[in-house]
Amino acid sequence: MMRQKMVRGLISLSVVGLALTGCGTAKDQGNTSGATTAPTAAATAASKGEPTTLIISTWGFADDFFKKEVYAPFEKEHNAKIVLEIGNNAERLNKVKQGSSSVDLIYLSDYYAQQGIEAGLFDKIDRSRIPNLKDIYDLAKAPLGEDYGPAYTVGRLGIAYNPKATTKEIKSWSDLWSPELSKKLTLPNITSTTGPMVLDAASVVAGNTTFNEDQAFAKVKEVNKGVVKYYGQTSEFVNMFSQGEIAAGPIMEMYVKDLKAAVPETKFVSPQEGAYAVMNTVNVIKGSKNKQLAEDFINWHLSKEVQEKSAKAKVDSPVNTTLQLSPEEATGITYGADVVSKLRKLDMKFVNQNLKAWIARWNKEVAQ
């Protein structure tokens, strides 16, 4: 039996200025794919007066918003030209690992960013060059260590359900094990970004305060017969929910708007034991010739101006604590110190150390 502390407890944070928080998750933003061709030699500044090319690896969602509100102002202010390399988390990280990418800055979920750190792909950031760090939640400042980049957005994994499709009022992670949800339930696959979070939730439901692998898998096997499908992409959840194939399941808050578009009665619940923090990070690639410009861009993305526009456009939940949103503006995003302080955060280093074994065990004991 393996007992390890998988969750760093409920997150405590100090709020600088007025309360707020964020995510968008994805974000699974990482599910967005596509690609643009990024130049190689052109990544360095040409001659005096010509813009410096900054190559950014990202998902490509909300492209029009980012081009207008984030990239264009930065290009003008810093005499820069931003070139994008688009794809999902895994494929973009693999390109950097293989040396087939010339990016300066990379956006990844914390799960994939931890892999990049362990592979030695990221440069240490100079925090003195990113003054806006002082204005973001403690949770977001150094989610993977002081040497590496911040989270620019923080979302939450909770439970969405259709109250017209089940008599069960959902308040807790344990409610997913209720007989009323049998054959009406979906869960994320262990290989998805949120799969390990649900495995941890199963350990919590089993009565543990620290992660217990054996009891977590026992609980998953217990609910297995009532699961319609283990989804790998959020679009699968949305489709099953819209068609009435399922009534409930864990999902990131940012996608609830898609569920409500099809099922207006949809409810999103932050379980009483705590929803899970889903963080997207930004890091400078080791060897970048534009490290300072990349750090300037990180600082810009953490600014009140960018964070506020992103939040109001429902693109990302903010981590900057100096802005305020109205109740209507905050709908559908992870917002507020009271919300963020209750989030559970997985230790991504621990997750990455054990994931291969969990996947093998999942395939043997759960997926049949």
Side-chain angles (χ1 to χ4, degrees):
M1 178 184 298
M2 176 170 59
R3 280 183 178 269
Q4 294 285 346
K5 186 166 184 179
M6 186 174 178
V7 182
R8 295 173 179 168
L10 294 180
I11 299 165
S12 61
L13 60 155
S14 63
V15 180
V16 181
L18 298 175
L20 172 56
T21 166
C23 165
T25 295
K27 317 186 172 182
D28 196 329
Q29 289 174 189
N31 288 336
T32 306
S33 61
T36 59
T37 302
T40 53
T44 58
S47 61
K48 187 176 181 180
E50 294 183 13
T52 301
T53 299
L54 183 70
I55 306 177
I56 299 177
S57 175
T58 188
W59 295 276
F61 71 98
D63 187 54
D64 290 341
F65 171 84
F66 278 100
K67 285 181 177 178
K68 178 182 178 182
E69 305 293 352
V70 184
Y71 303 147
F74 183 85
E75 289 175 321
K76 182 178 180 180
E77 176 69 21
H78 293 270
N79 189 27
K81 177 183 179 183
I82 291 176
V83 176
L84 303 179
E85 190 169 275
I86 303 298
N88 62 37
N89 285 292
E91 64 190 23
R92 292 186 293 107
L93 182 61
N94 285 336
K95 288 185 69 175
V96 176
K97 286 181 178 179
Q98 295 165 3
S100 58
S101 173
S102 56
V103 300
D104 299 296
L105 196 65
I106 189 166
Y107 284 83
L108 294 167
S109 69
D110 54 354
Y111 164 72
Y112 283 95
Q114 181 62 43
Q115 294 180 29
I117 290 172
E118 293 173 7
L121 302 179
F122 305 152
D123 208 340
K124 295 181 179 180
I125 63 168
D126 181 353
R127 292 184 171 265
S128 68
R129 292 189 51 78
I130 311 175
N132 285 327
L133 282 170
K134 73 181 187 303
D135 292 330
I136 70 174
Y137 288 102
D138 288 345
L139 164 68
K141 290 178 180 177
L144 302 176
E146 290 290 328
D147 287 337
Y148 303 104
Y152 70 93
T153 184
V154 179
R156 57 178 170 170
L157 177 78
I159 301 171
Y161 74 103
N162 180 356
K164 288 191 174 182
T166 177
T167 58
K168 180 66 179 179
E169 181 182 3
I170 298 177
K171 298 180 179 179
S172 164
W173 287 110
S174 63
D175 290 333
L176 296 180
W177 276 257
S178 299
E180 293 94 329
L181 292 181
S182 182
K183 303 300 181 181
K184 298 179 180 180
L185 177 68
T186 186
L187 296 177
N189 197 296
I190 188 62
T191 56
S192 70
T193 301
T194 56
M197 298 176 188
V198 172
L199 188 63
D200 182 75
S203 176
V204 172
V205 172
N208 299 288
T209 55
T210 58
F211 181 66
N212 185 301
E213 179 179 329
D214 290 335
Q215 292 186 24
F217 271 94
K219 290 302 291 185
V220 173
K221 286 190 288 185
E222 182 182 312
V223 78
N224 188 40
K225 60 181 179 296
V227 176
V228 175
K229 181 180 182 179
Y230 292 95
Y231 71 93
Q233 295 187 348
T234 307
S235 58
E236 296 176 83
F237 186 117
V238 174
N239 290 337
M240 289 187 291
F241 196 84
S242 301
Q243 296 169 13
E245 297 176 29
I246 60 171
I251 192 170
M252 287 184 279
E253 185 176 23
M254 70 168 294
Y255 296 110
V256 174
K257 64 180 182 298
D258 299 321
L259 300 179
K260 287 189 174 182
V263 183
E265 302 82 11
T266 300
K267 289 187 177 182
F268 178 79
V269 176
S270 182
Q272 60 190 23
E273 303 90 343
Y276 285 84
V278 183
M279 294 188 285
N280 286 336
T281 67
V282 56
N283 276 281
V284 179
I285 296 296
K286 184 175 290 186
S288 168
K289 297 179 180 179
N290 300 307
K291 182 175 184 289
Q292 291 190 349
L293 186 63
E295 290 169 340
D296 288 341
F297 187 83
I298 294 174
N299 191 58
W300 167 239
H301 202 161
L302 297 179
S303 69
K304 178 182 178 181
E305 180 179 349
V306 171
Q307 293 270 307
E308 187 170 51
K309 287 180 178 179
S310 297
K312 290 181 177 180
K314 311 295 185 185
V315 170
D316 280 318
S317 301
V319 293
N320 190 301
T321 64
T322 65
L323 59 115
Q324 288 184 300
L325 300 178
S326 68
E328 182 179 356
E329 290 168 340
T331 301
I333 60 176
T334 304
Y335 171 80
D338 57 333
V339 173
V340 173
S341 65
K342 297 174 184 176
L343 295 177
R344 302 173 65 88
K345 182 182 179 298
L346 296 192
D347 180 342
M348 286 303 164
K349 185 174 182 180
F350 176 75
V351 170
N352 278 312
Q353 289 173 342
N354 292 278
L355 189 58
K356 287 185 179 179
W358 293 343
I359 292 174
R361 186 169 182 177
W362 183 283
N363 290 337
K364 180 180 179 180
E365 300 181 17
V366 179
Q368 297 177 6

